[in-house]
Amino acid sequence: MRLHTRLAAALALGLVALTGCAKGGTAGSAANTVTYWLWDANQLPAYQACAKDFEKENPGLHVKITQLGWDDYWTKLTASFIAGTQPDVFTDHIQKFGQFADLKVLEPLDDLGIDPAAYQKGLADNWIGQDGHRYGAPKDWDTVALFYNKKMAKAADLAADRLNDLSWNPKDGGTFEKAIAHLTLDAHGKRGDEPGFDKHHVKVYGLATNGGGDADGQTQWSTFTGSAGWTYTDKKRWGRKYQYDSRTFQSVIKWYFGLAKKGYMAPFTDYNSQSNQANTQVAAGKAAAAFDGAWMISTYHGFKGMDIGAAVTPVGPTGQRATMMNGLADSVTKHARNKQGALKWVKYLSSNACQKTVGSYGIVFPATPDGTKAAVAAYEKKGIDVTAFTRPVADKKHFTTFSYPITNYAADVFALMHPAMQDLYANDAPVSGLDKTNSQINLILSQ
């Protein structure tokens, strides 16, 4: 199914919701109003503060912010492009960038004077389209680390220094698998690495599940495929061939999902994207550890009665640790009603002034170095150590960071990989089946 057909289907689902959302649409907006959409409720106060400062600097302009939940956000945004009710500015995700660029619904931002050197390395470059134009102004960044329950780790005699010194390989799992097995407890109190362990009646899994990972595996398997030396596509950006047929990729995936077969990682049936994600499993005491992103720091440290730590990702076969480094951006829509105001707002959003303000809330790591420093200071004030997330950016000798795959037909890639990865995880399907899936994806990309 081509993207435009899918968008039409999304329109049918999303228009009713959009029409009924008083603060969502932009129809009838005054000429002095800039409409701005974002999905993270935790970040809303920070951007309201930026909007207040922006309005002081730009008398006569008003920023109207709409916050929507993740799923609703993309459904309504996609529908709004077709219905002509799109916001002037929205928070963009690199996973969606290829689709929006292909549909030509974004306004070039070349005249804003965005300097890539002013942001964490690589963030600005990801938002250059195949036509050479910029379509996103860097907003923030995140990496992935291993959150863990300190009480459970202590009971398993796994101190922080040990959890920060793990390594893995796809043959026997290395010290990482040993640690995850030892954190696992069955209903009779047997640990995963002890004789008599019952994998069919597990009380606490060593590792929580965040599902199959779809096409990117950000908080699932990407840290392992990345530290094994695998890359999503044949080029860093705008690749023409995916590489899910790689023997390296498939060996890692087989080992990773095999953790669930051994009883060390929660099974696929325990995962629910709405009500039982990895963080929920840790909060409920059903899992001792979970790979998750920096945007979840406040969530994990907010669990009542729990002391949560975070360890860096394990060393892989390449001798490097690896983590996806995702970076969001703000984009202006092609048919923004207040385009000049929208461009001014995005320019301000990407400025050091706004990013330091956002950083001071201690919710995310803003894209500028000063914004990041403000965030680290804010986390420290809360008593939260975020070293596991910041080290990969600072220590390029021992860490490899990589981005989401940036290609055309991202929605089609997801549509094919989503069921394929679920089949591997839930039904123990052979990893060789990814050869066919990969061929189908590359056929689409060749159009």
Side-chain angles (χ1 to χ4, degrees), residues 113-136:
I114 299 295
D115 178 8
Y119 307 93
Q120 300 288 359
K121 189 175 180 180
L123 295 183
D125 296 336
N126 284 344
W127 297 92
I128 303 295
Q130 294 182 87
D131 58 4
H133 293 297
R134 170 173 300 285
Y135 292 101

Side-chain angles (χ1 to χ4, degrees), residues 196-215:
F197 169 69
D198 184 357
K199 67 179 183 179
H200 300 294
H201 298 89
V202 178
K203 181 180 180 181
V204 180
Y205 291 97
L207 189 63
T209 177
N210 250 328
D214 305 323

Side-chain angles (χ1 to χ4, degrees), residues 143-363:
T143 51
V144 173
L146 183 70
F147 288 100
Y148 64 91
N149 183 314
K150 288 185 178 181
K151 183 177 180 180
M152 290 182 178
K154 183 178 180 180
D157 195 27
L158 289 169
D161 58 344
R162 288 185 63 187
L163 291 173
N164 278 287
D165 194 33
L166 300 177
S167 61
W168 78 278
N169 65 75
K171 292 182 180 179
D172 62 17
T175 57
F176 171 80
E177 182 171 326
K178 286 182 172 64
I180 294 303
H182 197 58
L183 284 168
T184 302
L185 283 170
D186 71 11
H188 305 289
K190 292 282 187 181
R191 293 195 176 275
D193 56 354
E194 292 179 338
F197 169 69
D198 184 357
K199 67 179 183 179
H200 300 294
H201 298 89
V202 178
K203 181 180 180 181
V204 180
Y205 291 97
L207 189 63
T209 177
N210 250 328
D214 305 323
D216 57 83
Q218 182 181 19
T219 59
Q220 297 85 10
W221 40 260
S222 72
T223 186
F224 300 109
T225 55
S227 59
W230 177 82
T231 56
Y232 295 94
T233 59
D234 57 341
K235 291 169 59 180
K236 189 172 183 179
R237 299 179 183 90
W238 302 110
R240 299 295 297 175
K241 291 183 179 180
Y242 275 85
Q243 301 182 133
Y244 300 117
D245 59 350
S246 159
R247 299 287 82 87
T248 296
F249 177 78
Q250 293 181 12
S251 68
V252 174
I253 294 302
K254 183 177 181 179
W255 164 79
Y256 174 74
F257 288 139
L259 294 174
K261 289 178 63 178
K262 295 173 182 177
Y264 307 156
M265 181 170 74
F268 177 77
T269 51
D270 279 18
Y271 175 72
N272 184 296
S273 62
Q274 300 297 320
S275 60
N276 201 31
Q277 297 180 340
N279 71 91
T280 315
Q281 296 157 40
V282 172
K286 300 296 184 181
F291 283 106
D292 224 327
W295 64 91
M296 294 294 292
I297 292 173
S298 296
T299 298
Y300 279 89
H301 284 277
F303 295 158
K304 291 184 178 180
M306 284 190 181
D307 190 5
I308 301 294
V312 292
T313 58
V315 176
T318 61
Q320 293 277 100
R321 303 178 189 276
T323 171
M324 180 180 285
M325 183 181 179
N326 185 33
L328 303 181
D330 288 305
S331 294
V332 175
T333 57
K334 188 75 173 177
H335 299 293
R337 286 174 173 75
N338 189 347
K339 190 169 291 184
Q340 291 307 308
L343 292 169
K344 286 184 178 181
W345 172 232
V346 168
K347 177 71 172 177
Y348 185 75
L349 285 169
S350 62
S351 71
N352 209 31
C354 176
Q355 302 226 341
K356 286 171 68 176
T357 296
V358 173
S360 70
Y361 280 74
I363 300 297

